[in-house]
Amino acid sequence: MQIIQAIPKMPIWIFTSIRNRYIFLLFFLHIFAAQAQEKDSLTSRKITTDTNKRSYLPNAMRIGLDLIGLGQLPFSSKKYLHINSDISFQNKHLWFIELSFAQNKVQQEATYDAQAFIARTGYSYNFIHKQSAYDVFALGLRLGRAWHKESITAQAKNALFGSTEVNLENQLTATWIELNMELKARIWKNLMTGYSLRYQFKPWQSGESNFVPYQIASVGRSTKNNWGFQYYIWYLIEWGKNKTNKNPKK
Amino acid sequence: MPKYLTKAFFLVASLLSMWACVEFEQICAGSVEAPLKVNFKRKIIFKDRNNLDSIVFKDSFLYIKNIKVLENDSVLYNYKLLSDSLVSTNLIYNPLKDSTAYIFSYNKGDTLAIDTIYFGYNRQIELTSPECGVKTNYSNLKIIKHSFDSLVINNANNTSDTENAYMDIYFNQK
């Protein structure tokens, strides 16, 4: 009886938004991909690469595209395009360059429009480089920099003094440091999938500011620490003598 | 892929997926502008044995008839009963200008007293959220002129997160 009474009072876990459905779809796709990958004998693969020799030379590179941002492009007012690439040194040391283009326009009580170009660079250490020549579970640091502008159009209302239309724009540069965790797994030939989870510290901002900076599109609030999440698909490019055998015999 | 990695993979992904599906209700409490609080105080001056002044400050109250905006006569406060008194009041900043002026009409003894206060400040617009709109933040509060006996501004730069700028108005009583 209590359960029945509680149902209407439950917090609304809304599954109606297209974005949320898309994220769930990605998640389930990922489960199937990982299951297929286990059958692909990745779990028991022995690395044929000699990681001791020439470990100071890069031997692979991954280029990836964020599927969440890509999936939102046609139907959301939040438009993100994240490109992630890393240079791999025997799958142990990973040096990253990431580029993002983001736009966010919201028309409600206030009209808010933000655009940003974001570049990140940094290093991650792969903790499972001994177990796998492809898979990645890495932790690292990034330095992020955003060139962004944001504008608001709204009515500033006051009961005693009336109201006026506010039309302001900020053009700012933001710099921040972020902690980064990446999980990547090979699903088919040179294709890899996985995600990137980041904790972005409050950015330093400079530039022309006409109102309190509100947000860096795709990063989060300008005055707070922010979490970030991207789901990527990567293409692996290998070169050199240390090129890994993709179909090793057990 | 190692089993522990698979577990970590799914655990993080499922938690994030759940989080992505939660939509919180928007509450616009943060879009309320902080007013300028004014406290009324008495300054009592005693004479000691050597005929030197000894000053005591005490919280006080005022029989205010009304408080009006000087420039447009908008009424901020109007009394209902003759016995209505205030120990403090909140003045609203003008978000359209860098200064505001108020007229206080109040009973001082048996007479009706009228005092004015002009104060200035810096303004900065802040977007609370696209759903809640904008608000104005005020800082560097300063008194341009006034006709009260004396007054003091506290926390004028609005540096404290917990306490906004406020003003103490003193009435002399000998």
Side-chain angles (χ1 to χ4, degrees):
Chain A
M1 188 63 185
Q2 281 179 335
I3 295 169
I4 296 168
Q5 284 174 346
I7 288 169
K9 294 174 185 174
M10 280 172 69
I12 304 163
W13 289 64
I14 301 169
F15 290 82
T16 50
S17 115
I18 298 168
R19 181 198 66 173
N20 297 344
R21 287 177 190 175
Y22 184 72
I23 291 171
F24 257 98
L25 181 67
L26 283 179
F27 174 55
F28 287 115
L29 275 177
H30 190 86
I31 291 174
F32 292 126
Q35 282 173 347
Q37 181 208 29
E38 296 241 351
K39 288 174 188 167
D40 195 31
S41 80
L42 266 174
T43 47
S44 56
R45 178 185 297 134
K46 289 178 181 173
I47 301 165
T48 53
T49 313
D50 183 353
T51 55
N52 293 324
K53 288 182 181 177
R54 300 189 180 196
S55 63
Y56 54 88
L57 290 176
N59 71 324
M61 171 180 188
R62 297 178 189 87
I63 298 176
L65 199 59
D66 168 43
L67 294 181
I68 298 173
L70 198 67
Q72 284 183 334
L73 274 179
F75 50 77
S76 173
S77 61
K78 293 179 179 178
K79 299 188 188 304
Y80 308 136
L81 188 67
H82 297 285
I83 300 164
N84 174 307
S85 69
D86 71 80
I87 302 278
S88 167
F89 290 72
Q90 313 307 324
N91 204 32
K92 183 179 179 183
H93 305 289
L94 309 172
W95 289 93
F96 283 84
I97 291 177
E98 300 178 48
L99 299 174
S100 304
F101 307 89
Q103 188 180 24
N104 180 15
K105 187 165 186 177
V106 187
Q107 276 181 305
Q108 289 192 350
E109 183 68 24
T111 301
Y112 175 74
D113 191 5
Q115 286 126 40
F117 170 70
I118 299 152
R120 293 178 174 97
T121 185
Y123 166 81
S124 284
Y125 180 82
N126 181 12
F127 289 92
I128 55 165
H129 67 277
K130 287 179 184 170
Q131 288 89 346
S132 171
Y134 301 103
D135 301 335
V136 172
F137 171 65
L139 295 176
L141 279 173
R142 303 275 187 281
L143 178 69
R145 193 163 171 86
W147 292 265
H148 69 115
K149 70 174 183 180
E150 53 184 353
S151 63
I152 48 171
T153 305
Q155 286 284 326
K157 295 172 187 168
N158 188 286
L160 279 180
F161 300 97
S163 65
T164 185
E165 188 173 278
V166 173
N167 201 338
L168 300 168
E169 186 179 289
N170 286 346
Q171 287 214 344
L172 298 163
T173 305
T175 308
W176 68 94
I177 290 169
E178 61 184 51
L179 301 175
N180 207 284
M181 188 201 83
E182 290 216 325
L183 278 166
K184 299 177 184 178
R186 191 170 78 101
I187 48 170
W188 182 66
K189 292 191 175 176
N190 283 14
L191 279 182
M192 302 187 75
T193 185
Y195 46 80
S196 172
L197 180 67
R198 48 183 105 238
Y199 186 73
Q200 301 153 123
F201 290 99
K202 186 180 140 185
W204 301 278
Q205 305 226 55
S206 60
E208 187 189 331
S209 172
N210 294 307
F211 63 97
V212 179
Y214 180 68
Q215 191 186 61
I216 303 168
S218 94
V219 172
R221 292 294 296 268
S222 300
T223 51
K224 291 179 180 173
N225 300 343
N226 295 288
W227 286 96
F229 176 76
Q230 279 91 42
Y231 188 99
Y232 285 100
I233 188 154
W234 284 276
Y235 187 79
L236 175 74
I237 303 163
E238 290 183 289
W239 62 81
K241 289 178 183 175
N242 291 341
K243 198 169 174 177
T244 314
N245 179 8
K246 288 195 184 68
N247 298 300
K249 290 175 185 173
K250 288 181 183 177
Chain B
M1 188 162 61
K3 279 186 180 174
Y4 70 87
L5 187 60
T6 315
K7 283 179 186 170
F9 217 110
F10 292 148
L11 183 67
V12 175
S14 56
L15 286 173
L16 285 166
S17 304
M18 300 272 276
W19 181 255
C21 293
V22 180
E23 289 188 4
F24 293 103
E25 193 180 338
Q26 183 76 41
I27 299 166
C28 292
S31 60
V32 178
E33 291 177 8
L36 171 60
K37 190 177 182 189
V38 176
N39 301 310
F40 302 116
K41 291 181 184 281
R42 254 186 308 165
K43 189 161 103 178
I44 306 165
I45 304 169
F46 297 104
K47 294 285 182 189
D48 64 13
R49 287 177 189 171
N50 303 318
N51 207 27
L52 295 172
D53 286 348
S54 177
I55 302 169
V56 174
F57 298 102
K58 278 192 169 181
D59 290 341
S60 183
F61 57 87
L62 217 57
Y63 293 108
I64 291 183
K65 292 194 79 176
N66 59 53
I67 303 170
K68 287 181 179 178
V69 178
L70 187 66
E71 63 185 78
N72 61 13
D73 257 7
S74 296
V75 178
L76 179 73
Y77 170 82
N78 209 8
Y79 79 110
K80 289 190 178 76
L81 299 169
L82 279 172
S83 56
D84 284 352
S85 61
L86 297 176
V87 290
S88 66
T89 188
N90 289 323
L91 302 182
I92 297 169
Y93 295 92
N94 184 347
L96 316 180
K97 288 170 71 179
D98 288 335
S99 64
T100 307
Y102 282 96
I103 309 174
F104 289 71
S105 302
Y106 57 97
N107 288 326
K108 195 175 186 179
D110 295 334
T111 58
L112 179 70
I114 294 175
D115 278 310
T116 54
I117 179 170
Y118 295 75
F119 54 94
Y121 41 83
N122 295 346
R123 292 173 293 151
Q124 193 176 32
I125 296 281
E126 180 180 354
L127 178 67
T128 310
S129 72
E131 295 81 10
C132 299
V134 294
K135 70 167 186 174
T136 310
N137 295 330
Y138 305 94
S139 59
N140 296 324
L141 178 68
K142 53 189 177 289
I143 298 300
I144 300 166
K145 63 178 180 179
H146 70 92
S147 59
F148 290 102
D149 292 336
S150 63
L151 58 83
V152 173
I153 296 172
N154 301 290
N155 201 18
N157 293 326
N158 221 348
T159 49
S160 166
D161 288 337
T162 52
E163 194 173 44
N164 295 308
Y166 65 96
M167 195 187 295
D168 292 331
I169 294 179
Y170 294 95
F171 298 92
N172 293 342
Q173 185 180 329
K174 290 187 179 177

